[in-house]
Amino acid sequence: MEGPAEGRGRVVSANAVMPLRAGEKGGEARLVLTTSGSAPVEVWRWKLEPGEEYPSHPHQTGLVETVSVTAGQMVLVVDGTEHPAEAGQTATFDGDSPRTYRGSGTETCHLIMTVHISPGPGAAS
């Protein structure tokens, strides 16, 4: 992060940002923050209800996502392959593939997603 030494930290409450996605069963996704710099990282908080799905289109090549399940269970579908994940597990995958996030089990799934955006052409290493 840029800025004076005393302002280089930042704390954001997930409840302070509006959901950018709302599911039919009550799930939601909130973009909590995006870091600055040549290779920004988005931090998302998600909630998926059992059986709720969110398909996502492929992003640009070089983008990498991680999904860390903090409660409940989900199925991550990447390029048609299902990857079950439960609380305490983290998955990573290239974001240029089609994928679906699906709540599974009997309880609400909570997860933290990070989206690592690759530097654009000409960015400093």
Side-chain angles (χ1 to χ4, degrees):
M1 291 185 206
E2 298 177 10
E6 66 274 6
R8 294 175 60 105
R10 176 170 42 160
V11 176
V12 179
S13 170
N15 294 334
V17 295
M18 295 298 297
L20 294 180
R21 178 206 162 267
E24 293 179 8
K25 297 182 179 184
E28 62 182 27
R30 295 172 188 253
L31 176 58
V32 179
L33 65 85
T34 303
T35 63
S36 59
S38 63
V41 176
E42 296 177 350
V43 179
W44 291 78
R45 292 191 61 115
W46 281 64
K47 179 173 76 168
L48 292 169
E49 296 300 331
E52 189 170 42
E53 288 190 351
Y54 179 71
S56 184
H57 62 281
H59 297 301
Q60 72 265 21
T61 300
L63 186 141
V64 176
E65 293 188 22
T66 67
V67 174
S68 297
V69 180
T70 60
Q73 300 173 331
M74 71 169 297
V75 176
L76 172 65
V77 183
V78 180
D79 256 347
T81 301
E82 293 191 357
H83 304 275
E86 61 186 34
Q89 294 183 316
T90 299
T92 186
F93 53 95
D94 294 332
D96 60 355
S97 300
R99 63 215 172 276
T100 298
Y101 313 97
R102 180 186 318 134
S104 62
T106 59
E107 299 176 11
T108 302
C109 177
H110 294 269
L111 60 98
I112 297 172
M113 174 191 293
T114 60
V115 179
H116 302 260
I117 303 167
S118 62
S125 300

